[in-house]
Amino acid sequence: MGVFTRFQDIIASNVGAMLDKAENPEKMIRMMIREMEETLVELKANCAGTMAECKRIRRERDSILELVAKWEQRAELAIAKGREELAREALIEKHRETDRIEALDRELAGCEALVAQAQEDLAVLESKLKTTKEKQSLLVQRQVHAVVRKQARMDATRAEGYDAVRRFEELEQRVERMEAEADVAGLPLRKSSLDSRFSELEGSEQVERELAALKERVGKDPRENS
């Protein structure tokens, strides 16, 4: 891929959209920055080469201008000496060199246009590179904040889990305490009921003994006691 094709692709690219779709935005932005920097180096090299070519054309044009002036002077000298045919040949050479100057002027205009375009492209690419580097800084900050937020949420969730466990344990302990209190409260009742039942049996036997004794006393002849 040529440098200008890469340049056009870079300028046409939507960095934000590409980062949003990327699985690893930080890695992608590093790759984009590296490609931009490499393209920038190549553009600068091409621009420098074009500028050097413009200088060469200007030097050649200046030397031809000197030739035009020289043939002009020779034509004047030939006329002054009465050498009309020689003057004509000098003028022909002058026009030939003048045509070369016109060609060089067109070439120089195209060369200078390329330099101007290259400088404009460099400015655009440098601006794009600067923006991308700023996005890289912001992206790193966003990732740091995202990690912090994720950790905070994990800590909060963990704390909520601990709190839920603690509340469950407290509830469980409360239920166990209530069950124990119910068991303890039921013991006297059972014991009291059992005691009363035995007391009734014991009281009944005593009554029976007293009744038997009374019958025995009453059943005896009072005279036998006299």
Side-chain angles (χ1 to χ4, degrees), residues 172-191:
E172 186 178 23
Q173 292 174 1
R174 189 179 300 115
V175 171
E176 290 177 350
R177 185 165 57 252
M178 293 174 65
E179 290 176 345
E181 290 175 353
D183 292 340
V184 172
L187 288 176
L189 294 177
R190 291 196 296 270
K191 184 176 180 181

Side-chain angles (χ1 to χ4, degrees), residues 10 13 15-16 19 25-26 28-41 44 124-142:
I10 290 171
S13 64
V15 177
L19 293 178
E26 188 176 2
M28 172 168 278
I29 204 169
R30 285 200 303 267
M31 293 173 59
M32 293 175 67
I33 288 174
R34 184 169 62 251
E35 184 174 3
M36 287 182 186
E37 290 174 340
E38 292 174 353
T39 304
L40 188 62
V41 170
K44 286 182 177 180
V124 172
L125 183 55
E126 286 174 346
S127 176
K128 187 91 170 181
L129 178 59
K130 180 181 178 182
T131 301
T132 305
K133 286 184 176 180
E134 290 174 353
K135 286 183 179 291
Q136 181 185 32
S137 177
L138 291 174
L139 179 62
V140 172
Q141 293 179 13
R142 283 170 55 191

Side-chain angles (χ1 to χ4, degrees), residues 98-109:
T98 301
D99 291 341
R100 289 181 60 192
I101 289 177
E102 292 176 356
L104 288 174
D105 285 341
R106 291 191 294 271
E107 187 177 353
L108 181 60

Side-chain angles (χ1 to χ4, degrees), residues 69-82:
K70 179 179 178 180
W71 287 115
E72 176 72 22
Q73 292 173 357
R74 286 181 173 179
E76 292 177 356
L77 177 61
I79 290 295
K81 298 296 183 178

Side-chain angles (χ1 to χ4, degrees), residues 92-219:
I92 291 173
E93 289 298 325
K94 172 190 170 183
H95 285 291
R96 185 179 293 118
E97 297 299 337
T98 301
D99 291 341
R100 289 181 60 192
I101 289 177
E102 292 176 356
L104 288 174
D105 285 341
R106 291 191 294 271
E107 187 177 353
L108 181 60
C111 185
E112 290 176 343
L114 289 176
V115 170
Q117 184 62 52
Q119 291 175 339
E120 182 179 343
D121 291 345
L122 285 171
V124 172
L125 183 55
E126 286 174 346
S127 176
K128 187 91 170 181
L129 178 59
K130 180 181 178 182
T131 301
T132 305
K133 286 184 176 180
E134 290 174 353
K135 286 183 179 291
Q136 181 185 32
S137 177
L138 291 174
L139 179 62
V140 172
Q141 293 179 13
R142 283 170 55 191
Q143 285 189 331
V144 171
H145 293 163
V147 171
V148 172
R149 288 199 305 271
K150 181 179 179 181
Q151 186 63 43
R153 289 184 179 180
M154 290 177 62
D155 293 342
T157 302
R158 191 179 298 111
E160 290 175 358
Y162 290 156
D163 188 58
V165 171
R166 179 181 58 78
R167 290 198 302 270
F168 177 79
E169 291 177 348
E170 290 178 353
L171 178 62
E172 186 178 23
Q173 292 174 1
R174 189 179 300 115
V175 171
E176 290 177 350
R177 185 165 57 252
M178 293 174 65
E179 290 176 345
E181 290 175 353
D183 292 340
V184 172
L187 288 176
L189 294 177
R190 291 196 296 270
K191 184 176 180 181
S192 176
S193 176
L194 187 61
D195 288 343
S196 64
R197 289 165 63 189
F198 275 103
S199 296
E200 289 177 0
L201 290 175
E202 293 171 353
S204 177
E205 290 179 358
Q206 184 176 0
V207 169
E208 292 297 329
R209 287 196 297 270
E210 291 179 358
L211 181 60
L214 181 61
K215 286 180 179 181
E216 185 178 356
R217 287 198 304 275
V218 172

